[in-house]
Amino acid sequence: MINLIDFSKRRERFLAKLEGKAAVIPAASMVVHHADCEYPFRQNSDFWYLTGFDEPDAVALFLPHRDKGEQFVLFVRPKEPENEVWHGSRWGTNGAIEHFGVDIAHPLSDLEDYLVDYLLGAKGIAFRVGKHPKIETLVLRAWCKQLDHSSKSGQAAFGLFAPCSILHEMRLRKEPEELERMREAARISAEAHEIARRFVRPEINERQVQAVLENYFLEQGARGPAYGSIVAGGDNACVLHYTANNCTLRSGDLLLIDAGCSLVDYYNGDITRTFPVNGRFTPQQRDLYEVVLAAQRAAVEDVVVGHDAEGVHLTALRILVEGLIELGLLVGSTESVIAEGSYRHLYMHRTGHWLGLDVHDVGAYRLGEYPVELEEGMVLTVEPGIYVSDRLAVPEGQPEIKDHWKGIGIRIEDDVLVTGNEPEVLSGDALKSIDDLEA
Ligand code: GLY
Ligand code: MN
Ligand code: MN
């Protein structure tokens, strides 16, 4: 399925957009977990987007100022049988050329020697400073050398800039083949939610539910969870990034699950569902759930060409605030509560984010004072919620919260594709109506 993605076409587009400037894009490195154990490898998404190469420490050069056949250069870890017997095989320079469409491949140790020459003649250098200290030193040294010799050579790359302005705009608008992968990530994630919900009963531990979800991700061929799965019973759901997942589920509580898989080619699902542990909503839970569901459904409808993420957020926010006023958890007019931000002890996050190779995917939300308009091929999560707990102070002028509301945390999150017509809810297989959740 990874072959679905045509990395070479993508590189051609990137090279054209560089307009004569060179780009240096480093891969991710292994990260120590503890002692001499490392976390599973996670490739840098920009590097992956352009190469499909899944090894650490490589460095890709994109050189539009050079002839065809030497514009995509990759520095890789060389073949080393003594190392590979411990850590697994590497593609090496020949493998990089044969399998990844690389024009020229070098061992990583040659980067310092070759970089100056490769960058010579470029109109500028695209490199993200502040993220890759070792490579940054080499890039800056190569750039300095060029500047030092520019009066003699008559050539120098005079500007250093971040490649994200080009690359992240490309990543924001998904190609049709990427959307197929995102549908697959959402399908697996949604099915896992359904399986987990049917498994849930009082007195089991949150971690057992996490195991069911993540087992399904792996069984379906995904790499694993896209982020730390959140399995939060009762009041734990009011901690937005709760990942301890170590409490017993109680009858009468809600369970919030925020989990999605990451495919082998890093496309992600990100879904949240909230439902009663014993299969029946209490009156207070039902009241709040209906408000969040109405807000979420209206906001999903707003994910259409020409609208923007800010507008989607405001649609959800208005319905949440209206509902909370009606239930007596807020007082005032909808407009004044929103203007003053006096809802933030109950709803403290935004309603969505771009989704793609990163869960919180790249791409601007605003360009200066203008919000970025939604276009076909963009994917946005829609995830309003209400979280009632004692953690944040009630703002002045707002009512103290009665005990029977406390310990209720609800979020409903779908992954939504902007199309030329209706919004396409990629995660729609995970049920969310009250009737379905109580069936
Ligand atoms: N699971 C992370 C998020 O919903 O943004
Ligand atoms: Mn999300
Ligand atoms: Mn989420």
Side-chain angles (χ1 to χ4, degrees):
M1 281 301 271
I2 293 180
N3 293 336
L4 207 62
I5 306 288
D6 189 340
F7 291 95
S8 68
K9 270 216 189 102
R10 205 177 260 176
R11 282 193 293 270
E12 272 173 33
R13 281 198 291 137
F14 181 56
L15 280 159
K17 284 170 187 277
L18 282 169
E19 296 180 332
K21 290 163 256 167
V24 180
I25 312 285
S29 295
M30 297 298 294
V31 178
V32 171
H33 182 276
H34 74 280
D36 56 356
C37 293
E38 290 159 329
Y39 284 98
F41 179 63
R42 204 310 181 169
Q43 188 54 281
N44 173 283
S45 298
D46 283 342
F47 181 89
W48 173 265
Y49 183 78
L50 292 168
T51 67
F53 191 71
D54 208 16
E55 288 187 16
D57 297 332
V59 179
L61 305 187
F62 297 91
L63 308 170
H65 58 290
R66 294 181 71 105
D67 292 337
K68 289 253 179 257
E70 39 186 73
Q71 294 185 333
F72 174 31
V73 176
L74 198 63
F75 290 81
V76 300
R77 302 177 311 172
K79 297 292 288 176
E80 265 176 25
E82 294 75 17
N83 190 300
E84 290 174 54
V85 80
W86 287 91
H87 300 293
S89 64
R90 304 170 171 185
W91 287 106
T93 49
N94 291 338
I97 291 169
E98 280 165 30
H99 296 277
F100 294 89
V102 174
D103 292 331
I104 303 170
H106 297 282
L108 205 55
S109 54
D110 285 351
L111 180 63
E112 185 164 5
D113 289 344
Y114 282 77
L115 196 58
V116 175
D117 278 350
Y118 274 128
L119 296 183
L120 198 66
K123 286 188 189 159
I125 300 172
F127 177 74
R128 174 65 160 89
V129 291
K131 294 277 188 201
H132 318 274
K134 282 191 199 144
I135 310 297
E136 184 171 317
T137 305
L138 301 184
V139 170
L140 293 181
R141 201 178 292 162
W143 189 35
C144 282
K145 259 196 188 163
Q146 290 195 11
L147 292 173
D148 289 345
H149 291 98
S150 61
S151 57
K152 283 194 202 122
S153 68
Q155 284 183 308
F158 288 110
L160 188 65
F161 70 102
C164 52
S165 56
I166 297 173
L167 210 40
H168 294 180
E169 287 306 291
M170 289 174 70
R171 283 177 52 191
L172 177 57
R173 294 164 185 83
K174 274 70 179 173
E175 301 154 4
E177 295 79 10
E178 292 186 282
L179 293 175
E180 280 309 306
R181 302 301 290 146
M182 294 196 64
R183 286 188 185 97
E184 171 79 349
R187 176 190 67 78
I188 296 170
S189 306
E191 286 173 4
H193 273 263
E194 281 299 297
I195 291 167
R197 184 166 55 79
R198 289 196 288 271
F199 172 77
V200 165
R201 57 193 182 276
E203 300 309 318
I204 62 170
N205 193 279
E206 292 165 345
R207 191 160 290 159
Q208 290 173 264
V209 184
Q210 178 184 356
V212 169
L213 289 158
E214 295 182 8
N215 177 65
Y216 191 73
F217 296 162
L218 296 175
E219 206 178 83
Q220 288 290 305
R223 197 177 279 260
Y227 49 90
S229 302
I230 297 170
V231 182
D235 180 67
N236 292 339
C238 300
V239 176
L240 299 178
H241 289 170
Y242 175 81
T243 51
N245 300 351
N246 59 3
C247 293
T248 302
L249 298 179
R250 293 182 316 196
S251 182
D253 278 351
L254 293 178
L255 174 62
L256 180 154
I257 299 178
D258 182 347
C261 73
S262 190
L263 299 182
V264 287
D265 50 1
Y266 295 111
Y267 289 97
N268 298 301
D270 181 8
I271 304 178
T272 308
R273 290 293 182 266
T274 310
F275 56 90
V277 169
N278 65 11
R280 289 279 153 215
F281 285 90
T282 66
Q284 287 78 21
Q285 291 167 352
R286 177 183 291 264
D287 284 346
L288 289 176
Y289 190 88
E290 279 173 347
V291 172
V292 178
L293 186 60
Q296 205 258 358
R297 285 194 162 136
V300 166
E301 291 305 308
D302 246 10
V303 182
V304 292
V305 172
H307 286 201
D308 54 69
E310 177 68 20
V312 172
H313 171 63
L314 282 176
T315 295
L317 182 58
R318 255 183 228 116
I319 295 174
L320 291 177
V321 169
E322 276 165 16
L324 288 165
I325 291 171
E326 225 162 86
L327 293 173
L329 283 135
L330 292 173
V331 294
S333 68
T334 305
E335 286 66 31
S336 67
V337 168
I338 290 177
E340 289 160 13
S342 45
Y343 59 85
R344 291 212 182 98
H345 58 306
L346 299 169
Y347 183 45
M348 58 297 283
H349 60 77
R350 305 287 293 178
T351 302
H353 52 82
W354 306 128
L355 179 70
L357 285 176
D358 292 339
V359 173
H360 290 184
D361 206 26
V362 294
Y365 294 90
R366 300 188 70 79
L367 294 174
E369 57 187 294
Y370 300 104
V372 168
E373 285 192 2
L374 297 174
E375 293 173 25
E376 269 182 67
M378 294 178 175
V379 180
L380 188 71
T381 68
V382 179
E383 48 180 306
I386 294 176
Y387 312 91
V388 192
S389 79
D390 276 333
R391 288 180 182 77
L392 297 176
V394 174
E396 216 179 295
Q398 291 300 330
E400 287 305 319
I401 297 166
K402 296 206 173 77
D403 280 345
H404 60 254
W405 293 111
K406 289 182 186 166
I408 300 179
I410 298 167
R411 179 165 63 255
I412 305 172
E413 175 176 28
D414 278 308
D415 306 337
V416 187
L417 164 66
V418 185
T419 77
N421 303 305
E422 301 288 296
E424 181 180 333
V425 180
L426 306 180
S427 47
D429 289 346
L431 303 179
K432 61 185 178 188
S433 76
I434 288 187
D435 284 350
D436 283 328
L437 299 182
E438 288 194 330

